[in-house]
Each structure stands twice: as C-alpha cells, then as structure tokens.
Amino acid sequence: MRTHAVRIARNLRGQHSYLSPRTRLLSTTVSQFANALPITATGPPPDPPTPASGPYSDKVTERRRKAALLQAGKDIRASQSPSSSKKSPLKKRFWKDVHIRESPAGLEVHLDGRPVRTPSKAILTVPKSKPHLAHAIAIEWDMLESAQQALKNHNIPMTSTTARAQDIVESEARGDHTIRNEIIAVMMRYLDTDTLLCWAPEQPFDDGLDMERTTTQNNKKETLRERQIRTAKPILAFLNTSVWPGVEIRPVLDEGSIMPVKQSEVTRSVIEGWMAGLPAFELAALERAVLATKSLLVGTRLLIEWSDEFRDLQRAADARFGIEEAAEAATLEVRWQTAMWGEVDDTHDVDKEDIRRQLGSAILLVIGSR
C-alpha cells in the first residue's frame, strides 16, 4: 500500500500544474505521508542545561570580555610595531629581592644591588627617623610585576612623594626655592575655593528628595549647609587657636552667589608665611593631602595631627584627626548627593578608596618612629 502511494505521488508531482485544486490537495497529502521518516541520532546525550546567570555575573563577564578584546588589540599593535622584534626590558622585573640598607645619609631602598633613584638620578634617601616610610617604599617595589609599572606615579605613591620632598631639600640646599614657591602658589589657589568652606545655600525642605537628613534633639531635620558648618567648625577652631592664632577664615561662597570670595590679605600672608617655613617632607605631604581633598584647611589639620614637627600642638586627650575624618570632611557633599541619587559604579567607589590611599601616603611621609 505504501509503495503504491509513493508511485502515485511521483506521477502526480510531474503533473501538478495540470491538476484540479482537489487533486493537488490529495497529491500534497500523499507526498507528505510518503516522505515522513523517523528521526534517529547517535552519540552521547546532550549536556544538561545551565542556570541563567544573574545581573552581577553578566556584568563581570562583559567586563572581562571587553578587557580581553582590549588586550588583544594591544597585542596586535605591538606585534605590528617595527620594534616588536626587540622585547623591551621594562616589561619584565629585573630584580628579585627588595631590602633596606642604612647609609650615613639615611635609609635606602635597594632592588637587589641597585638603589632606587629619583627622577633627577639621585639615590632616594629616607631620614633615619622615618623607618615606616622606608618600609612602605620597599613594599611598593616588591609588589610591582615589571619595571614598566614604576613609570606610573600612581603605582608608587610613596616613592614619588618622597622623591618630591628630596627634590625640595636638594634644590634649597643650592639656594633655589622655585619648587617651594610653586607649591605655595598652588596651595593658595586651593584656599580660594576650599572644599571645607564651600557651603550650600539654604534650601526649603523637600521630604520627597532629602534622604540623608539627620534629626536633632528638637526633631528638626539637618540640611546640607548645617552639616557642612557642623563639620567645619571644629577644624576651623583648631586652626584659629593653635596654628594661625587670631586669623579670620570665612566661607568662600556668599548666599546666592557662585563666585568664590578670597580671604583677606592678612589671612593669606599669614598662611603663606607658615607654608614657607615648613620642612621639606611636611611641605610635600601637605601638597599630597591638599591635592587629594581639594582643601588646604583639611590638609593642614591632618598634617598637624601626625607630623613629628608639631608634637606640641597635638592633643593626646582628644580623638585623633585621621584618614577617615579628613576624607569625610572633604567628601561631605558627594556623600550627600550619592545618598540621594545613588553611586556610579567604578567611579564613586574608586574615588572613595583613592582619597584614603593618598591621605595615608601623606601621613607616612611625616610620621616618625614613635
């Protein structure tokens, strides 16, 4: 029966165009029946289904894929470069051990038998009173995987800051105060727009937007401006009484204005004279702290708290003004805004850790062996 149906289908297929619609339908039905074959397969069973990945793992996978593509592009460009046949010695680590040696001038960090040098080719020398700084520099170099990484200052923050201080010492020994004057000029520009003194204008309450307000004893919600003032008051009080007695420091923004207001000439001259008398390591540490916090006042407060040069101003009974306190004072408005609108991945979290790393390097630069 099936063979006969196949034969009929083959005969009808050639005459399909001359058949009536009813005959065509019969021909199509017979053809489909005649060509039906069972589905068979050989080999191992298929792999079990894998669970769908979550949004976080998808994000990580996508970043790894993009990083792999970027690295592949770099490898292709490097292979097409005329100098690719000669492998750069900077791409490998030429030292095995990192250790500290004591010399008549101070403490030196050696890579095997080679001392670490400053950009001016001088041997990097740490005062003997700062062993913690020497060990921090040694750890930096011990963590590097290639000599090429040492070309980036952010990979060796302690080395770069110490070299900055040594450059100040060496230049002033020759009677050249150019580096110090340049640092002071930059620091005074930061004073004109100091983060600690940029207070937000008063705004009416909007309970639908403010997510970060705190409540006082009178159940009155605290505004951003009130919190900024509360954070700045103890820092300003310390500087006005212990560091620059009698100096008036005022907010740099007037109500309803976006143009900063400079401090008085008396205030500026006193602060400039104070920075002109700082030791080299203290000046380099202050520069690092100010660049990290965008605040000369916060950087000065941190310097006074940890430098051996200002032990007479440090109050043992009070809580220490450390990395966390300085970072919180410098990033108050950012934390307020991120509490309202959320953080941006790979931006706010990176900045949060970086400012603490920078402040930590400033402290290690001035702290002694105590």
Side-chain angles (χ1 to χ4, degrees):
M1 180 63 183
R2 182 174 181 178
T3 305
H4 183 68
V6 171
R7 188 179 298 114
I8 294 174
R10 290 176 178 173
N11 293 334
L12 292 176
R13 195 176 302 162
Q15 303 175 2
H16 191 275
S17 58
Y18 302 100
L19 299 178
S20 63
R22 182 176 181 182
T23 308
R24 290 180 186 177
L25 177 61
L26 175 62
S27 173
T28 305
T29 306
V30 173
S31 294
Q32 291 177 352
F33 173 78
N35 293 332
L37 295 175
I39 299 175
T40 60
T42 60
D47 296 331
T50 57
S53 58
Y56 178 76
S57 58
D58 290 343
K59 189 181 297 184
V60 173
T61 303
E62 182 64 17
R63 289 178 184 173
R64 289 177 178 174
R65 185 185 69 82
K66 292 180 179 180
L69 292 176
L70 181 61
Q71 184 62 39
K74 291 181 179 180
D75 294 340
I76 293 175
R77 288 194 297 270
S79 62
Q80 296 176 351
S81 175
S83 60
S84 60
S85 57
K86 297 181 180 179
K87 188 175 181 180
S88 174
L90 296 177
K91 293 186 177 181
K92 62 180 181 180
R93 173 170 166 162
F94 59 82
W95 67 92
K96 294 183 178 180
D97 299 319
V98 182
H99 50 274
I100 299 173
R101 291 182 181 178
E102 185 174 345
S103 66
L107 303 175
E108 301 174 357
V109 178
H110 284 247
L111 312 178
D112 293 338
R114 302 182 181 90
V116 175
R117 296 180 178 271
T118 66
S120 61
K121 307 302 181 182
I123 297 177
L124 186 70
T125 306
V126 180
K128 295 180 180 180
S129 61
K130 302 179 184 296
H132 302 304
L133 177 59
H135 283 85
I137 296 174
I139 292 173
E140 280 183 348
W141 285 88
D142 197 30
M143 293 178 64
L144 296 180
E145 297 179 357
S146 66
Q148 192 172 20
Q149 292 180 343
L151 300 179
K152 305 294 184 180
N153 287 337
H154 64 268
N155 290 328
I156 48 173
M158 299 308 311
T159 305
S160 60
T161 312
T162 305
R164 178 71 160 170
Q166 186 167 328
D167 288 342
I168 297 174
V169 173
E170 294 175 352
S171 63
E172 292 185 348
R174 301 189 301 267
D176 184 7
H177 294 79
T178 303
I179 299 178
R180 179 179 293 270
N181 294 335
E182 291 176 351
I183 293 176
I184 293 176
V186 173
M187 296 300 99
M188 294 306 296
R189 286 201 294 269
Y190 274 99
L191 178 64
D192 295 334
T193 57
D194 200 289
T195 301
L196 193 69
L197 301 177
C198 290
W199 300 341
E202 287 288 358
Q203 296 289 343
F205 286 120
D206 186 354
D207 295 334
L209 292 178
D210 281 329
M211 301 170 60
E212 182 68 10
R213 291 196 182 111
T214 58
T215 304
T216 61
Q217 295 179 354
N218 298 328
N219 293 327
K220 179 183 177 182
K221 293 181 178 180
E222 188 179 36
T223 64
L224 173 58
R225 180 183 179 88
E226 291 171 347
R227 181 175 296 188
Q228 290 174 325
I229 295 174
R230 177 169 59 84
T231 302
K233 272 187 176 181
I235 299 175
L236 297 177
F238 178 85
L239 297 177
N240 286 334
T241 57
S242 301
V243 185
W244 310 311
V247 170
E248 179 188 6
I249 302 176
R250 56 191 180 185
V252 297
L253 288 180
D254 290 334
E255 186 69 23
S257 174
I258 62 174
M259 298 302 296
V261 178
K262 287 187 176 183
Q263 303 294 332
S264 65
E265 290 299 326
V266 174
T267 300
R268 295 176 63 86
S269 62
V270 169
I271 296 177
E272 286 180 358
W274 177 80
M275 286 190 290
L278 285 176
F281 277 81
E282 274 66 23
L283 183 62
L286 178 64
E287 181 185 28
R288 173 61 59 89
V290 173
L291 293 178
T293 61
K294 308 299 184 294
S295 171
L296 176 60
L297 303 178
V298 174
T300 302
R301 181 67 182 90
L302 187 72
L303 174 69
I304 299 298
E305 187 68 25
W306 295 96
S307 173
D308 283 355
E309 297 291 329
F310 300 100
R311 287 188 179 182
D312 56 323
L313 300 180
Q314 297 165 5
R315 304 168 181 175
D318 297 341
R320 302 297 300 268
F321 187 86
I323 296 175
E324 289 299 325
E325 290 76 11
E328 295 292 332
T331 61
L332 177 58
E333 185 173 358
V334 174
R335 290 186 295 108
W336 180 281
Q337 298 293 342
T338 54
M340 293 174 57
W341 310 110
E343 292 186 350
V344 178
D345 292 341
D346 298 332
T347 301
H348 291 112
D349 51 350
V350 174
D351 292 343
K352 179 180 178 181
E353 297 301 325
D354 183 67
I355 188 174
R356 285 160 173 78
R357 182 176 67 95
Q358 301 282 3
L359 295 175
S361 64
I363 290 177
L364 279 175
L365 200 68
V366 298
I367 197 172
S369 57
R370 58 195 173 106

